[in-house]
Amino acid sequence: MGLEVVSPAMISFSLFLLLASTTQAQSNGVFDVTKYGAGKDITEALTNAWKSACASTKPSKVLIPRGTYWLRKVTLAGPCKAAIKLQVDGILQAPVDPNKLSGGHWVNFRYVDQFTLSGRGTFDGQGKVAWSKSTCHIDKNCKGLPMNIRFDYITNALVRDITTLDSKNFHVNVLGCRNLTFQHFTVRAPGDSVNTDGIHIGRSTGIYIIDSKISTGDDCISVGDGTEELHITGVTCGPGHGISVGSLGKYPNEKPVSGIFVKNCTISDTTNGVRIKSWPALYGGVASNMHFEDIVMNNVQNPVIIDQGYCPWNQCSLKAPSKVKISDVSFKSIRGTSATPVVVRIACSSGFPCQKVKLANINLAYRGPGGPAKSQCSNVKPIISGMMSASGC
């Protein structure tokens, strides 16, 4: 058999088909997953569309159009060659079985600069079965469930108009990020869902959460060590456990927390309002320059609280005080109604009393058994100004 001769015309035609296929998948910088073979399960199509868009030297957009799709565990990583946007207009559903999502997450964005996640879509973690079987609320050695979305080392980014629904664990985890904004972001899960923090931030700088609504079964927003310049504005929280700095002091070598600004938020029907919490007896740390202002409380338990004896489910030692140093904290213009008679509780460490704590214009009403409203302070000498509806501190 002789060798087949490939003519220049055949080569040119093959190149034409390749270019036509690429052009079809990519139109005006838009990489539509349906052009990458997306069916009911879009995992491979999304991965391939992301790779193509990430390799583009011009700004690009990956599009998930309207519809309901299955999505297995996926990591969408950079660095990319130009700005990149993921527009989610559909509903993405995670596997119901958490064992199919090893590694602690469902969707992971990593090492991307100039990134936008937007659209009217939903990341549905389908967590109800996992919550019913979880023991993590009583067993500190339990196997952790997967989070809906992780943002790891993302810079100069915007997340807008997206919903995360019924995550098996935290809805969003932010780690090592810089200049990341959540705007018109929605978190939805039942009030009895287990360990479903809305947004958890750690070791990140310049995080903004604005005009967002968070309803969940744990902290609406939780702040871990190493967080600096966090701005929370116009957030509606509830149900849930409120907006919390901490818990701190649980692990060795935690980095300082500084520059936390919570302003113009509404908290309703939660087990806590605005809170700073640290573990007793364990490890040291520093938390300073934290300010909570213009907060409306509606039927909130423990509306204003610093708890340096945080010990959930009695899983710690109370024999020694917290080693976390808390200073330069202000609670200003906090108003509304409390579900508990102690509306302000500042319980600081006897080993490291809180410094420079200010209470100004606190107007919280309680109408129930054990009333009227009262405040409790220990190991702190707060500076009180303006109205103080609760006596005691």
Side-chain angles (χ1 to χ4, degrees):
M1 180 182 294
L3 294 174
E4 182 179 357
V5 178
V6 180
S7 69
M10 292 175 65
I11 295 174
S12 297
F13 184 67
S14 297
L15 288 172
F16 170 78
L17 290 177
L18 177 62
L19 290 171
S21 175
T22 302
T23 302
Q24 185 180 23
Q26 174 212 349
S27 176
N28 297 322
V30 178
F31 297 78
D32 188 331
V33 296
T34 62
K35 301 298 192 297
Y36 285 81
K40 186 65 177 176
D41 186 321
I42 66 164
T43 309
E44 291 186 8
L46 174 58
T47 300
N48 291 331
W50 175 272
K51 288 179 179 178
S52 297
C54 190
S56 172
T57 56
K58 297 180 179 180
S60 59
K61 177 170 72 176
V62 176
L63 174 64
I64 301 176
R66 292 182 180 180
T68 300
Y69 308 95
W70 297 336
L71 181 66
R72 290 171 278 128
K73 179 182 175 182
V74 66
T75 296
L76 303 175
C80 298
K81 293 185 178 180
I84 186 168
K85 178 177 182 178
L86 174 59
Q87 180 174 324
V88 180
D89 292 328
I91 298 172
L92 307 180
Q93 293 182 328
V96 173
D97 183 357
N99 292 321
K100 294 182 179 180
L101 294 169
S102 61
H105 71 268
W106 171 30
V107 180
N108 187 196
F109 299 98
R110 295 173 60 83
Y111 296 105
V112 187
D113 184 35
Q114 300 183 73
F115 171 58
T116 301
L117 172 61
S118 66
R120 300 289 179 177
T122 298
F123 290 77
D124 183 358
Q126 302 202 96
K128 294 180 181 179
V129 172
W131 304 330
S132 67
K133 297 180 179 180
S134 175
T135 60
C136 290
H137 59 296
I138 56 175
D139 179 8
K140 63 182 179 180
N141 296 314
C142 73
K143 181 181 179 181
L145 294 170
M147 306 174 191
N148 261 13
I149 309 172
R150 287 191 63 107
F151 295 96
D152 295 336
Y153 311 104
I154 302 296
T155 54
N156 305 311
L158 172 65
V159 179
R160 182 171 57 198
D161 299 324
I162 290 292
T163 295
T164 167
L165 173 68
D166 290 348
S167 180
K168 297 175 178 65
N169 198 326
F170 290 8
H171 284 265
V172 171
N173 190 79
V174 175
L175 176 67
C177 296
R178 179 173 52 83
N179 193 20
L180 168 60
T181 297
F182 295 84
Q183 183 179 30
H184 301 147
F185 186 71
T186 301
V187 174
R188 295 207 320 266
D192 60 356
S193 54
V194 179
N195 206 36
T196 52
D197 290 38
I199 303 175
H200 178 77
I201 304 108
R203 305 205 174 196
S204 298
T205 302
I207 308 301
Y208 294 78
I209 305 171
I210 56 179
D211 299 333
S212 296
K213 184 174 182 179
I214 303 175
S215 306
T216 192
D218 211 295
D219 293 333
C220 292
I221 299 169
S222 57
V223 181
D225 77 292
T227 300
E228 297 181 336
E229 293 301 320
L230 168 63
H231 297 261
I232 301 169
T233 307
V235 168
T236 299
C237 165
H241 294 182
I243 297 174
S244 297
V245 177
S247 54
L248 302 174
K250 187 177 182 180
Y251 303 103
N253 304 315
E254 290 185 355
K255 295 185 179 296
V257 172
S258 179
I260 310 300
F261 303 91
V262 181
K263 190 172 183 178
N264 190 29
C265 294
T266 299
I267 303 176
S268 304
D269 301 312
T270 55
T271 57
N272 299 282
V274 287
R275 174 170 59 157
I276 302 169
K277 52 183 177 175
S278 69
W279 291 76
L282 296 176
Y283 301 99
V286 175
S288 63
N289 191 21
M290 299 174 286
H291 307 283
F292 306 85
E293 183 176 1
D294 194 18
I295 312 294
V296 175
M297 305 284 183
N298 296 313
N299 193 42
V300 170
Q301 302 174 44
N302 309 307
V304 176
I305 180 169
I306 295 178
D307 180 8
Q308 291 208 261
Y310 178 71
C311 186
W313 318 297
N314 296 316
Q315 293 182 357
C316 57
S317 170
L318 294 173
K319 294 180 180 179
S322 174
K323 299 175 183 177
V324 176
K325 300 177 182 179
I326 293 175
S327 65
D328 191 13
V329 182
S330 66
F331 300 95
K332 297 180 179 180
S333 299
I334 313 292
R335 62 194 184 277
T337 58
S338 174
T340 50
V342 179
V343 301
V344 175
R345 184 164 74 92
I346 311 296
C348 296
S349 168
S350 60
F352 298 94
C354 298
Q355 303 293 323
K356 299 180 181 178
V357 175
K358 297 179 180 180
L359 300 170
N361 295 318
I362 308 298
N363 185 11
L364 293 166
Y366 170 74
R367 297 179 180 88
K374 57 180 67 73
S375 60
Q376 296 177 350
C377 291
S378 57
N379 302 308
V380 62
K381 295 179 180 179
I383 302 168
I384 299 174
S385 62
M387 182 179 185
M388 183 66 177
S389 63
S391 62
C393 279

